[in-house]
């Protein structure tokens, strides 16, 4: 792994062609925003580029791919965006894990195996890096690129609300809005729309909320049975992780979500300098200081017990 | 009423002294942010200035007044900030209604009686106008001013989420963050903290939700009895108005809040170009295209019936 600068990354992209751009599993707004923005930018430069989806494109993000169609070419250069570790390559791991030419990421904990790595952990979203990179390649920004960039920076900052937001985040938002990005549609989809099923899911989740460590730890969960009872899909499950940390006095909010494969996907959100990334590393996960995740195998009560025990040691 | 430009307003402020700055009743982040920012700026210029609170400073906003203390001087010049109509002068109406020298506002519907009026309806928050005004007066920005400006623009845009947000809103946010404003603390207070009482209030409010007009209108309410049962104060009641519009398919979300004086304070939030300001004008209120309010006297069921009838005519 060779750490490179932004201008070295730009040179690599300019000198190569026939790109596959890899997203991380459970694709979110940032990895998708990066992938589509970079793909559109490379195509503007006359290059071949495809976005390699990791699972299905979530229905709420279909607007990103409105002007996208898969191209047919043999892949020569593999770029990953917002993928922090090999395990997050998901269904792309088999095909690509030993042939990533360039890793672009904003996770300080990045451990992905790649020939060249560009990490800037001061960026709230990997899309900030992609934006600066595209500008440095002198690509003319299109509305599609602007929409993709805005999607990444707004979703990774909870619409400019999380502590990772910086002056740069707002400057880029101002730039892409000036370029005509449809931030009103994007905000509405990501932050202002709740299906009735989601509303019901939230209320059901509130019923699971328990407090530990004298109120400093709040934990909520969803089970497959709850999801099935409400007919809730992935869209309804989004954003639940931000619920427990919001409660006054809570320093660590833990959200457990039962998955089909017998594991719980665990999201940890923290306040006041509690290190969520270290906490999740105990269970083989990672992420950011205040927002991290891991997967734990087991049934509801045993996984919950493990998490509470670990929280008690930290808090 | 004389409509004036921003530079004329700056001249008026620079040429005068001994300011009283009026906020609107039920003071929110924008009117308070404007008032404190302008007050600190005028004091930086060596002038006397006081903020005239309308009711009590909400506890969540006490950080705005941390470095503020009332000055003792005879008032020579009265400025109102973010006050759209005489009726919104509340408890200040008696003393000031015929002597407002300068009205600064961002409500296109502004009808406040004042000698000079500066309205810019393209601004998401009146704090955007105040920021540009302070800069044009060549006042050096302090952290207190930055905090006050950020408070106004972030609260009036729902943390940069509402459709009124513009590139300028983000540019000003970037500027005040660069100046050292504590946006993390401000966001946490305004957008990321829920007391357990607020959580309970939200859940109780969800139980009141009813849909009309084929799901295009959602209506919720709170009563004094509900508030009392939960021990909920004004802080717990904040933000409820954004709940009903969020539901998929809803074009008009109506929130009714019973007040001590036998009226319901009604907040209307709309999507898709439905005019909330016109709707509220039917009941003597007003505001913005997508976010307006009014007060209606009556009991729960009669007020609700009036609102539903009016909504049926519009939708």
């Amino acid at each position: 792994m060779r750490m490179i600068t932004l201008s070295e990354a730009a040179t690599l992209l300019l000198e190569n062609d026939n790109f596959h751009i890899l997203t991380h599993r459970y694709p979110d707004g940032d990895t998708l925003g990066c992938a589509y923005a970079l793909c559109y930018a490379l195509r503007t430069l006359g290059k071949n580029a495809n976005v390699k989806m990791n699972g299905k494109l979530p229905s709420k993000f279909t607007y990103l791919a409105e002007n996208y169609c898969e191209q047919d070419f043999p892949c020569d250069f593999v770029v990953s965006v917002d993928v922090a570790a090999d395990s997050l390559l998901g269904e792309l791991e088999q095909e690509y894990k030993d042939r990533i030419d360039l890793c672009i990421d904003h996770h300080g904990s990045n451990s992905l195996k790649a020939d060249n790595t560009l990490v800037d952990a001061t960026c709230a979203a990997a899309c900030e890096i992609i934006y600066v990179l595209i500008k440095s390649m002198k690509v003319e920004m299109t509305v599609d690129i602007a929409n993709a960039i805005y999607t990444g920076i707004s979703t990774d900052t909870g619409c400019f609300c999380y502590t990772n937001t910086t002056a740069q985040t707002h400057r880029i938002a101002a730039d892409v809005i000036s370029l005509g990005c449809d931030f009103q549609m994007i905000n509405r989809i990501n932050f202002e729309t709740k299906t009735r099923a989601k509303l019901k899911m939230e209320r059901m989740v509130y019923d699971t909320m328990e407090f530990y460590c004298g109120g400093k730890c709040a934990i909520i969960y969803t089970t497959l049975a709850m999801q099935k009872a409400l007919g809730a899909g992935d869209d309804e499950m989004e954003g639940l992780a931000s619920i427990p940390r919001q409660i006054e006095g809570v320093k660590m909010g833990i959200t457990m979500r039962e998955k089909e494969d017998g594991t719980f996907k665990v999201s940890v959100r923290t306040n006041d300098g509690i290190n969520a990334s270290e906490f999740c590393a105990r269970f083989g996960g990672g992420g950011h200081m205040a927002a991290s995740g891991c997967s734990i195998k087991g049934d509801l009560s045993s996984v919950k017990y493990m998490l509470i025990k670990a929280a008690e040691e930290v808090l």
Side-chain angles (χ1 to χ4, degrees), chain A:
Chain A
M1 191 205 287
R2 189 174 72 105
M3 301 306 289
I4 62 169
T5 64
L6 189 121
S7 71
E8 287 172 320
T11 305
L12 271 177
L13 292 171
L14 290 168
E15 286 177 349
N16 284 280
D17 199 351
N18 300 318
F19 297 90
H20 278 188
I21 306 170
L22 313 185
T23 55
H24 65 65
R25 66 174 180 164
Y26 307 130
D28 62 7
D30 195 27
T31 198
L32 293 168
C34 286
Y36 284 103
L38 184 58
C39 182
Y40 292 132
L42 292 168
R43 288 181 179 185
T44 301
L45 291 169
K47 297 175 185 289
N48 291 321
N50 278 336
V51 172
K52 300 311 285 182
M53 198 51 57
N54 210 322
K56 245 187 79 200
L57 177 64
S59 59
K60 64 195 284 198
F61 291 123
T62 47
Y63 65 87
L64 289 170
E66 237 165 45
N67 296 310
Y68 174 85
C69 55
E70 198 86 356
Q71 294 179 332
D72 188 23
F73 58 85
C75 170
D76 289 326
F77 197 93
V78 179
V79 189
S80 70
V81 285
D82 196 40
V83 184
D86 293 344
S87 62
L88 298 171
L89 282 171
E91 63 182 49
L92 303 173
E93 190 172 1
Q94 203 69 5
E95 188 175 348
Y96 293 100
K97 73 171 169 180
D98 289 318
R99 49 178 298 215
I100 299 174
D101 298 287
L102 173 59
C103 157
I104 302 174
D105 190 25
H106 70 126
H107 296 86
S109 62
N110 186 289
S111 64
L112 186 71
K113 197 169 156 250
D115 286 351
N116 300 282
T117 297
L118 169 63
V119 171
D120 185 348
T122 68
C123 289
C127 267
E128 293 187 24
I129 309 171
I130 297 292
Y131 177 79
V132 180
L133 195 55
I134 290 174
K135 274 191 74 162
S136 81
M137 294 194 292
K138 309 250 185 288
V139 176
E140 201 189 330
M141 293 280 169
T142 63
V143 171
D144 283 326
I145 294 174
N147 282 337
I149 296 293
Y150 185 85
T151 298
I153 63 174
S154 62
T155 56
D156 253 27
T157 59
C159 210
F160 311 95
C161 190
Y162 301 157
T163 55
N164 59 354
T165 309
T166 66
Q168 171 173 284
T169 319
H170 281 288
R171 287 213 179 89
I172 295 175
D175 285 357
V176 293
I177 288 173
S178 295
L179 286 162
C181 102
D182 194 351
F183 71 97
Q184 299 178 321
M185 174 267 292
I186 297 170
N187 286 350
R188 184 145 174 226
I189 288 173
N190 289 303
F191 307 111
E192 291 268 286
T193 305
K194 272 184 197 169
T195 60
R196 292 200 202 183
K198 170 143 196 180
L199 190 69
K200 282 188 197 138
M201 177 55 86
E202 280 188 5
R203 299 183 62 191
M204 204 181 256
V205 159
Y206 278 126
D207 286 331
T208 72
M209 194 180 292
E210 291 175 0
F211 294 93
Y212 295 93
C213 309
K216 282 187 226 156
C217 176
I219 190 162
I220 59 176
Y221 63 81
T222 64
T223 62
L224 291 172
M226 286 162 67
Q227 242 182 293
K228 203 175 155 199
L230 294 178
D234 278 349
D235 286 0
E236 278 72 38
M237 310 307 290
E238 280 253 346
L240 296 177
S242 66
I243 290 175
R245 184 183 53 182
Q246 289 188 342
I247 312 301
E248 200 174 34
V250 169
K251 299 195 184 308
M252 179 181 284
I254 302 177
T255 304
M256 300 168 51
R257 175 177 165 192
E258 190 181 9
K259 304 292 289 183
E260 302 278 357
D261 63 0
T263 65
F264 277 85
K265 185 188 170 195
V266 178
S267 300
V268 178
R269 302 286 182 271
T270 56
N271 286 322
D272 297 337
I274 307 289
N275 194 323
S277 182
E278 267 177 24
F279 182 87
C280 288
R282 293 173 175 225
F283 304 102
H288 302 281
M289 180 73 185
S292 289
C294 57
S295 286
I296 306 180
K297 215 176 174 63
D299 61 23
L300 177 66
S301 58
S302 64
V303 173
K304 193 160 96 175
Y305 180 77
M306 282 166 68
L307 288 165
I308 294 162
K309 285 294 279 183
E312 279 171 349
E313 284 172 37
V314 173
L315 294 170

